[in-house]
Amino acid sequence: NLPVYLHILVGSSKPNFYLFASLNVLCILVPADLLPACNSELTTLTFLQEVMDILLQYIVKTFDRSTKVIDFHYPNELLQDHNWELSDQPQTLEDILLNCRKTLKYAIKTGHPRYFNQLSTGLDMVGLAADWLTSTANTNMFTYEIAPVFVLLEYVTLKKMREMIGWPGGCGDGIFSPGGAISNLYAMLTARFKMFPEVKEKGMSAIPRLVAFTSEHSHSKTMSHPSLVGSGTNSLWSIKTHPKKKFVFLDTNKKYQMHVNKGFVPFFVSATAGTTVYGAFDPLIAIADICNKYRIWMHVDAAWGGGLLMSRKHRWKLNGTERANSVTWNPHKMMGVPLQCSALLVREEGLMQKCNQMHACYLFQQDKHYDMSYDTGDKALQCGRHVDIFKLWLMWRAK
Ligand SMILES: Cc1ncc(COP(=O)(O)O)c(C=O)c1O
């Protein structure tokens, strides 16, 4: 179909001739000969169509149960048997295609019916299509002017996610981040800022010593976050779990008082809804009661289990999440959205903005002619931010 396709696209009267001429030249042309080079439309379309064919063949093979999940080689074999080095000379387009084929030959087929790996849920076709579109649009999430539709989709989807959590009218805030560990870090930073706003300018020396609580089965990176926040890993108290791997706060009053007596300020509890290894759900309602009693920020790490909020049958496991101050929810886990797609949702609107904003005047000019609350970049820790929303939004629409 390619000749016809090219014929329609470029309006050529001799599509076959142009096509074969283009295919032949892929072995002498280099990527600099593609768009935006002059008169390169046909070569570019031919090249991209070839790439697309490689991808489509790989996808069909991926779902073929009789193929290998991976053509596994040890690192030294892969390194020695192929030339992966970067040279000073550009490769031809033909070589570029060979690189694509070779990379997929040794890739693991994550959509394969026999592929099972930690927290991975296959390869969704609509999500993949959305990812291709996202890469084609190739933009950044920091301002509305350069990502108008994506910013709006993020706004709409985050609101819907907050509604599903149970925050009235979907109120609150949120952001898509580069993964659940970073979303959890956002939560801890936001909680610390809420309790001690002066920390933003004056740092940890201006505030008391902090202590946080989580279960011994919470995610490994949650254990490391206090070192990033500046209170040190010793300031995270890991709570023993009962045999079902759930968080138990047996002697809460004693524990709380013990830390307060030592001069610590408990500021953060991270409950887990779907622990990484056992898939256990902490007793969120009991934890919410404790956090409420001691006025501690309650975070729910639902990176894994958040997908159950979409299930009429299983969503009760997250009862109590609606009382949390913040929630991490990774659609790239249970919901099968292509990597990566993780959201942090915060109940109080505006807090993330206050916590992280630095007013970069080259991005967030104050005289823009649209509602600048749609410039979401200043509430992020990052400056540039990848568009992770489109694959989630399109998959949601498709199901
Ligand atoms: C409960 C939980 N929280 C956080 C994370 C970290 O998520 P990510 O890998 O997206 O950083 C994981 C990942 O396995 C997890 O299971």
Side-chain angles (χ1 to χ4, degrees):
N1 293 335
L2 184 58
V4 178
Y5 167 71
L6 288 174
H7 175 58
I8 294 163
L9 267 175
V10 299
S12 157
S13 57
K14 292 181 186 159
N16 286 316
F17 169 78
Y18 283 115
L19 168 71
F20 293 119
S22 283
L23 278 175
N24 284 338
V25 292
L26 291 188
C27 57
I28 49 169
L29 295 181
V30 293
D33 297 313
L34 298 174
L35 283 171
C38 273
N39 300 325
S40 61
E41 289 86 353
L42 196 52
T43 315
T44 305
L45 290 173
T46 308
F47 170 72
L48 289 180
Q49 186 67 46
E50 287 283 308
V51 173
M52 198 45 92
D53 285 350
I54 293 172
L55 301 183
L56 296 180
Q57 278 166 23
Y58 177 79
I59 290 164
V60 170
K61 248 186 172 175
T62 285
F63 292 93
D64 177 355
R65 193 172 279 277
S66 67
T67 59
K68 282 186 184 174
V69 176
I70 184 169
D71 183 2
F72 181 82
H73 293 257
Y74 289 99
N76 58 335
E77 289 171 352
L78 269 190
L79 274 174
Q80 280 159 18
D81 296 349
H82 303 275
N83 179 11
W84 307 101
E85 294 303 321
L86 298 166
S87 91
D88 292 338
Q89 294 307 316
Q91 290 194 323
T92 65
L93 292 172
E94 184 91 352
D95 286 336
I96 296 295
L97 294 175
L98 283 175
N99 290 324
C100 296
R101 283 196 195 93
K102 189 161 68 180
T103 303
L104 286 178
K105 173 170 163 46
Y106 298 110
I108 190 146
K109 300 188 187 74
T110 55
H112 195 286
R114 293 203 166 94
Y115 172 76
F116 300 101
N117 200 45
Q118 295 95 327
L119 310 163
S120 188
T121 43
L123 180 63
D124 184 276
M125 292 301 102
V126 174
L128 176 66
D131 222 6
W132 287 345
L133 186 146
T134 303
S135 294
T136 307
N138 186 34
T139 193
N140 200 314
M141 286 301 284
F142 43 48
T143 60
Y144 175 81
E145 71 220 26
I146 58 159
V149 177
F150 296 135
V151 164
L152 294 182
L153 297 185
E154 206 173 76
Y155 173 80
V156 168
T157 310
L158 286 170
K159 182 161 180 283
K160 185 82 181 168
M161 291 169 92
R162 291 190 300 263
E163 277 169 17
M164 302 204 73
I165 287 171
W167 292 338
C171 69
D173 216 332
I175 199 149
F176 282 86
S177 89
I182 302 294
S183 295
N184 289 339
L185 175 63
Y186 262 113
M188 195 177 265
L189 289 167
T190 314
R192 184 185 64 163
F193 176 80
K194 171 74 180 168
M195 198 176 259
F196 298 106
E198 63 273 31
V199 75
K200 181 170 176 181
E201 281 154 16
K202 299 186 179 145
M204 292 299 279
S205 57
I207 68 172
R209 291 157 71 201
L210 302 177
V211 66
F213 303 93
T214 193
S215 104
E216 58 183 346
H217 285 284
S218 65
H219 187 251
S220 52
K221 290 290 174 193
T222 299
M223 311 282 181
S224 77
H225 286 158
S227 72
L228 299 173
V229 167
S231 52
T233 50
N234 288 348
S235 74
L236 185 80
W237 279 80
S238 120
I239 308 285
K240 285 252 163 281
T241 54
H242 70 37
K244 284 199 169 165
K245 314 298 176 200
K246 296 178 184 189
F247 194 112
V248 275
F249 248 131
L250 280 180
D251 48 354
T252 320
N253 286 316
K254 253 200 295 183
K255 262 211 177 87
Y256 178 85
Q257 213 46 59
M258 182 183 96
H259 288 104
V260 171
N261 292 346
K262 283 185 184 167
F264 286 102
V265 175
F267 81 113
F268 187 79
V269 173
S270 180
T272 315
T275 58
T276 311
V277 178
Y278 291 96
F281 286 73
D282 285 339
L284 301 177
I285 295 174
I287 293 171
D289 289 343
I290 290 161
C291 290
N292 187 41
K293 176 171 173 192
Y294 295 114
R295 302 196 168 281
I296 305 176
W297 183 284
M298 175 181 173
H299 174 64
V300 176
D301 176 1
W304 174 232
L308 293 188
L309 288 167
M310 313 285 271
S311 157
R312 278 185 209 101
K313 188 167 166 198
H314 297 289
R315 62 163 293 132
W316 63 268
K317 291 189 175 136
L318 286 112
N319 284 353
T321 309
E322 70 286 355
R323 292 173 64 192
N325 299 91
S326 55
V327 178
T328 290
W329 177 352
N330 276 14
H332 75 221
K333 294 198 192 311
M334 196 182 288
M335 288 163 64
V337 175
L339 281 159
Q340 34 197 9
C341 188
S342 170
L344 175 75
L345 302 132
V346 178
R347 193 166 47 178
E348 183 176 329
E349 195 176 353
L351 201 52
M352 296 185 75
Q353 181 82 11
K354 284 188 214 141
C355 179
N356 299 318
Q357 72 185 357
M358 293 310 287
H359 307 285
C361 58
Y362 66 98
L363 286 172
F364 309 113
Q365 298 87 351
Q366 293 306 303
D367 57 352
K368 289 189 188 177
H369 53 82
Y370 57 80
D371 175 353
M372 280 191 61
S373 68
Y374 291 99
D375 280 357
T376 51
D378 219 10
K379 67 177 156 192
L381 284 175
Q382 304 163 255
C383 178
R385 207 158 51 83
H386 188 253
V387 178
D388 290 327
I389 181 58
F390 190 64
K391 37 198 183 183
L392 169 61
W393 179 82
L394 202 65
M395 279 177 67
W396 202 324
R397 284 216 143 185
K399 288 183 197 280

